[in-house]
């Protein structure tokens, strides 16, 4: 195995492998410290970053971080690598790749063309050399457009997942949250419910509830009940109205096995959803969620740092042409991202890596109540992601998910971002909001008494 070394001042720092070098070069975070793979000092971290900058991008093709023979995610990454798309950057080092990404001449179209040739490990590596503003600048160049019943990801647009979770899956409580969110102009990304129970009948009931509402008011958006993929597949077999198929994924085969999934199962689910033909303007039928620390929490990280594992999960997502992908950035807890500073950095890294790899990235801007973070930190990350061109965010009633027990972003937060940055909802959804007299000029809500009269009527 190749070793790496770098002289900083009078001291030479050595790294036992490319995997070790990447871990040591990662900005400080609690998960890598928990795993025992983080740099032991700021000096060692800088030495690792300096050494990493000189590593050729081609090296990642020759030195897999997780063995090819024992990991299907590694096999997917290497077997689907597009050498022709890679050729414009094939001669670059990681540091030179950073300069290339930041170059004025590297446009969104340039990034789109090279994306199939980029391994997630390459993109994770370059992110470790980038400042927060670098991550924002490059990510905002890249627009990834997808479609199902509306069109997401276009320039000047910001969508919202309406997340009406309820601790007992009470239909009236869920319906009230859905209508409330719609009346705040949220829900164009998806109306997505995390069910309190994973039973097929419960999932069917929630799917029918949303479908009835979408049909009744002719709402151009998509639904999803975020149960396990096998539960959703059984619901499809029983005739349930499934729009998007959801699954949490990770960056190694063993981590995905801990979720009860593999690539073959995800492919089968995608084909089942495509066969239903429920999309009207597109057929992107998959929805994936990820999060730094997922592989480590399952003991399935193979000594790879959590941010690189996260980027590898994006290779899984990319393979299935999803409508939506989002990192639930602060959900796992302070054991993996300790405080607001680490959560902000991770959110920008994840969004950057996903966009450069060609994914329609959203971010659940969130934290758990035992993390050293607060809503001001989330406001900061929300703003930075808006500037970076995030495809969508979450809309949770009051920003407090009473079923999952964590803090996220509210219906109101989307209006802050849309007003501040001049962003609009998905075009088909925007037209519906205006036709229903919920909003005017795409962004401004009508009087609250007028909107809540609609709410009272719908709940009846």
């Amino acid at each position: 195995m190749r070793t790496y070394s770098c002289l900083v001042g009078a001291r030479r720092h050595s790294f036992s492998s490319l995997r070790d070098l990447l871990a040591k070069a990662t900005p400080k975070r609690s998960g890598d410290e928990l795993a025992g793979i983080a740099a032991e000092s700021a000096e060692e971290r800088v030495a690792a970053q300096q050494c990493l900058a000189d590593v050729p991008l081609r090296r990642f093709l020759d030195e897999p971080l997780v063995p090819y023979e024992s990991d299907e995610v590694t096999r997917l990454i290497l077997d689907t690598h597009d050498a022709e798309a890679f050729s414009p950057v094939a001669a670059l080092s990681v540091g030179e790749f950073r300069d290339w990404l930041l170059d004025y001449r590297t446009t969104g179209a340039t990034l789109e063309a090279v994306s199939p040739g980029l391994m997630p490990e390459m993109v994770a590596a370059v992110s470790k050399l980038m400042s927060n503003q670098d991550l924002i600048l490059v990510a905002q160049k890249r627009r990834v457009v997808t479609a199902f019943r509306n069109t997401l990801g276009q320039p000047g647009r910001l969508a919202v997942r309406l997340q009406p979770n309820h601790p007992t899956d009470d239909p009236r409580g869920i319906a009230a949250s859905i209508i409330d969110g719609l009346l705040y102009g949220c829900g164009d990304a998806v109306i997505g419910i995390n069910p309190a129970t994973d039973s097929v009948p419960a999932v069917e009931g929630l799917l029918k509830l949303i479908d009835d509402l979408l049909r009744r008011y002719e709402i151009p958006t998509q639904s999803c009940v975020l149960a396990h993929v096998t539960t959703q597949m059984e619901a499809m077999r029983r005739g349930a109205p499934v729009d998007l198929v959801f699954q949490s994924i990770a960056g190694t085969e063993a981590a995905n096995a801990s979720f009860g999934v593999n690539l073959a199962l995800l492919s089968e689910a995608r084909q089942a959803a495509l066969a239903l033909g429920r999309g009207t303007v597109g057929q992107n039928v998959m929805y994936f969620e990820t999060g730094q620390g997922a592989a480590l929490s399952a003991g399935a990280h193979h000594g790879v740092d959590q941010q690189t594992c996260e980027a590898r999960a994006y290779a899984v997502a990319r393979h299935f042409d999803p409508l939506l992908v989002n990192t639930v950035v602060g959900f796992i807890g302070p054991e993996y991202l300790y405080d607001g500073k680490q959560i902000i950095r991770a959110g920008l890294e994840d969004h950057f890596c996903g966009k450069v790899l060609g994914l329609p990235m959203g971010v659940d801007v969130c934290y758990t109540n035992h993390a050293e973070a607060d809503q001001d930190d989330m406001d900061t990350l929300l703003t930075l992601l808006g500037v970076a061109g995030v495809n969508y965010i979450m809309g949770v009633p009051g920003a407090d998910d009473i079923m999952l027990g964590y803090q996220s972003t509210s219906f109101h937060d989307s209006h802050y971002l849309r007003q501040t940055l001049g962003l609009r909802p998905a075009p088909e959804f925007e037209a519906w909001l205006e036709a229903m007299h919920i909003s005017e000029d795409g962004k401004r809500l009508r009087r609250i008494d007028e909107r809540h009269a609609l709410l009272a009527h719908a709940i009846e």
Side-chain angles (χ1 to χ4, degrees), residues 252-336:
T252 70
E253 179 178 344
N256 284 323
S258 75
F259 290 144
V261 300
N262 55 38
L263 299 181
L265 181 63
L266 294 175
S267 180
E268 182 183 351
R270 179 172 180 266
Q271 292 305 315
L274 285 171
L276 298 179
R278 292 176 60 82
T280 55
V281 297
Q283 289 297 325
N284 298 111
V285 296
M286 300 300 285
Y287 174 18
F288 295 115
E289 286 190 344
T290 67
Q292 286 193 30
L296 174 57
S297 67
H301 63 296
H302 297 275
V304 178
D305 68 272
Q306 65 182 35
Q307 190 257 334
T308 302
C309 279
E310 171 74 3
R312 283 170 54 92
Y314 301 156
V316 176
R318 180 170 64 175
H319 185 63
F320 295 103
D321 196 20
L323 179 77
L324 305 166
V325 179
N326 73 264
T327 168
V328 194
V329 64
F331 181 73
I332 302 182
E335 299 84 359
Y336 305 95

Side-chain angles (χ1 to χ4, degrees), residues 375-415:
Q375 204 63 45
D376 287 340
D377 295 316
M378 299 306 103
D379 286 350
T380 299
L381 178 54
L382 175 67
T383 305
L384 295 174
L385 288 166
V387 175
V390 70
N391 277 33
Y392 70 103
I393 59 169
M394 306 299 130
V396 177
D400 183 3
D401 193 302
I402 58 174
M403 196 278 281
L404 293 175
Y406 78 115
Q407 308 302 309
S408 185
T409 44
S410 72
F411 302 147
H412 304 75
D413 290 332
S414 65
H415 289 280

Side-chain angles (χ1 to χ4, degrees), residues 156-337:
R157 304 284 177 173
L158 172 73
V160 183
R161 170 189 161 187
L162 203 170
Q163 185 170 310
N165 298 342
H166 192 280
T168 64
D169 287 342
D170 178 72
R172 286 181 60 84
I174 289 171
S177 292
I178 291 174
I179 299 299
D180 194 28
L182 290 170
L183 295 178
Y184 277 101
C186 299
D188 44 347
V190 64
I191 299 176
I193 304 170
N194 296 92
T197 61
D198 200 59
S199 73
V200 175
V203 169
E204 285 183 304
L206 294 175
L207 286 166
K208 290 175 181 176
L209 183 155
I210 309 176
D211 189 60
D212 288 346
L213 185 66
L214 298 188
R215 290 177 179 276
R216 179 178 178 182
Y217 289 99
E218 299 180 330
I219 306 172
T221 191
Q222 36 283 329
S223 68
C224 186
V225 176
L226 285 67
H228 191 268
V229 63
T230 53
T231 306
Q232 297 167 81
M233 291 168 72
E234 180 59 27
M236 280 190 276
R237 293 187 192 103
R238 293 169 53 154
V242 174
D243 289 343
L244 305 184
V245 174
F246 165 82
Q247 182 55 47
S248 294
I249 55 172
T252 70
E253 179 178 344
N256 284 323
S258 75
F259 290 144
V261 300
N262 55 38
L263 299 181
L265 181 63
L266 294 175
S267 180
E268 182 183 351
R270 179 172 180 266
Q271 292 305 315
L274 285 171
L276 298 179
R278 292 176 60 82
T280 55
V281 297
Q283 289 297 325
N284 298 111
V285 296
M286 300 300 285
Y287 174 18
F288 295 115
E289 286 190 344
T290 67
Q292 286 193 30
L296 174 57
S297 67
H301 63 296
H302 297 275
V304 178
D305 68 272
Q306 65 182 35
Q307 190 257 334
T308 302
C309 279
E310 171 74 3
R312 283 170 54 92
Y314 301 156
V316 176
R318 180 170 64 175
H319 185 63
F320 295 103
D321 196 20
L323 179 77
L324 305 166
V325 179
N326 73 264
T327 168
V328 194
V329 64
F331 181 73
I332 302 182
E335 299 84 359
Y336 305 95
L337 296 169

Side-chain angles (χ1 to χ4, degrees), residues 143-167:
R143 301 291 170 172
V144 182
V145 178
T146 56
F148 189 76
R149 288 204 190 92
N150 56 33
T151 309
L152 303 172
Q154 294 174 322
R157 304 284 177 173
L158 172 73
V160 183
R161 170 189 161 187
L162 203 170
Q163 185 170 310
N165 298 342
H166 192 280

Side-chain angles (χ1 to χ4, degrees), residues 81-164:
H81 180 255
D82 187 330
E84 183 177 352
F86 181 55
S87 60
V89 297
L92 302 182
S93 69
V94 176
E96 290 168 336
F97 182 42
R98 172 186 175 272
D99 295 339
W100 183 88
L101 288 168
L102 293 168
D103 195 296
Y104 287 104
R105 294 165 294 183
T106 301
T107 63
T110 312
L111 290 173
E112 182 177 1
V114 80
S115 176
L118 298 177
M119 293 172 59
E121 293 89 344
M122 297 172 185
V123 180
V126 76
S127 76
K128 300 175 192 301
L129 308 182
M130 300 177 81
S131 67
N132 284 3
Q133 67 178 241
D134 292 344
L135 298 172
I136 293 167
L137 173 61
V138 176
Q140 64 82 32
K141 295 182 182 185
R142 181 73 164 100
R143 301 291 170 172
V144 182
V145 178
T146 56
F148 189 76
R149 288 204 190 92
N150 56 33
T151 309
L152 303 172
Q154 294 174 322
R157 304 284 177 173
L158 172 73
V160 183
R161 170 189 161 187
L162 203 170
Q163 185 170 310

